[in-house]
Amino acid sequence: ERYLVGDYKKFNSNMGFVEDEVKKLVKQMNSLGVGVTSQPQQDIDLGIIEEGSEEEEESDDEDDGELFDSKEVEPGEGDYGDLQDAYFPQAFSHFSYERSRGNFMVVDLQGVFSVKDDGLKVYELTDPVIHQHDRLRRRSRRHDHNRGSRVGKKWNFGRTDRGINGMKAFFETHKCTDACRLLGLSEVDAEDV
């Protein structure tokens, strides 16, 4: 990986924390005199799973059908008066869930936000985590008894893939913003994941 120049941040994690939630927690703990420092990721156990070396399973080349929604999306209604750059990492995680029809979610977004000389705003992200919904795991384990082969594709996103629990954890802390509405995303209740 190349070195990212700028203020490196963790925007969300594979355990459901969202950047603003950590800031609120730190503020709350400081007001109670608990004495959290300005680096909450190091001082508060967020339950982040560390990546390590592990054997990757090979995936089948079979197609599972339509895993992703390719329909054109109209932006939600509104004037987007509260559209802030900081909202986009969370909206991207939400977007990945919705466009994959709830099959996948990209989280653990960390990296650098920068503004280029021409005014272009860019997030450069590293080491994301993909959560795979449990229904895909179950589907990949089924066997076609007539042929004795696996039905569906088998993915392995490693130890950091928390599946449905990671997806629920994200939606327990995620609050839709104007960025979600601009992308035409629906509100998701964690219990419905």
Side-chain angles (χ1 to χ4, degrees):
E1 290 180 28
R2 69 181 181 81
Y3 177 75
L4 297 179
V5 177
D7 184 21
Y8 191 86
K9 286 184 162 185
K10 190 162 187 82
F11 303 105
N12 65 29
S13 79
N14 59 333
M15 298 292 285
F17 106 82
V18 173
E19 181 184 18
D20 288 341
E21 295 300 313
V22 171
K23 288 178 184 174
K24 288 177 194 172
L25 178 62
V26 169
K27 189 180 224 179
Q28 204 173 27
M29 292 178 81
N30 283 336
S31 71
L32 296 172
V34 177
V36 177
T37 69
S38 64
Q39 294 182 341
Q41 290 89 336
Q42 295 174 3
D43 297 323
I44 298 173
D45 180 12
L46 298 173
I48 297 169
I49 299 171
E50 294 291 327
E51 292 184 74
S53 62
E54 54 193 84
E55 284 189 32
E56 297 291 332
E57 296 180 30
E58 292 186 25
S59 62
D60 299 335
D61 287 329
E62 290 183 47
D63 189 3
D64 270 329
E66 297 296 321
L67 289 177
F68 297 93
D69 189 352
S70 59
K71 69 177 171 129
E72 294 274 331
V73 176
E74 292 292 322
E77 292 186 26
D79 63 6
Y80 311 114
D82 189 32
L83 192 59
Q84 298 178 28
D85 298 325
Y87 294 158
F88 284 93
Q90 311 324 319
F92 174 70
S93 291
H94 184 169
F95 173 86
S96 67
Y97 173 82
E98 194 159 310
R99 290 305 284 243
S100 71
R101 301 176 188 238
N103 291 310
F104 304 101
M105 176 181 275
V106 180
V107 293
D108 202 11
L109 301 179
Q110 52 199 315
V112 173
F113 172 76
S114 60
V115 180
K116 302 297 180 191
D117 291 336
D118 63 358
L120 180 67
K121 297 177 179 182
V122 177
Y123 277 98
E124 295 178 87
L125 303 172
T126 64
D127 302 322
V129 167
I130 300 174
H131 294 318
Q132 175 186 190
H133 199 287
D134 296 340
R135 68 178 159 258
L136 288 179
R137 287 188 179 96
R138 286 190 301 270
R139 191 182 325 166
S140 72
R141 289 186 197 117
R142 287 193 324 240
H143 287 75
D144 179 343
H145 295 292
N146 295 333
R147 296 185 321 206
S149 63
R150 286 187 181 259
V151 174
K153 186 169 282 217
K154 184 178 181 185
W155 290 278
N156 180 347
F157 295 116
R159 296 186 305 176
T160 55
D161 175 0
R162 296 191 58 239
I164 192 171
N165 292 330
M167 293 175 175
K168 284 183 177 187
F170 174 83
F171 283 115
E172 285 172 358
T173 57
H174 174 67
K175 305 286 184 267
C176 282
T177 63
D178 277 350
C180 293
R181 287 182 277 286
L182 179 65
L183 293 171
L185 303 176
S186 307
E187 296 272 343
V188 177
D189 186 323
E191 296 301 315
D192 297 333
V193 172

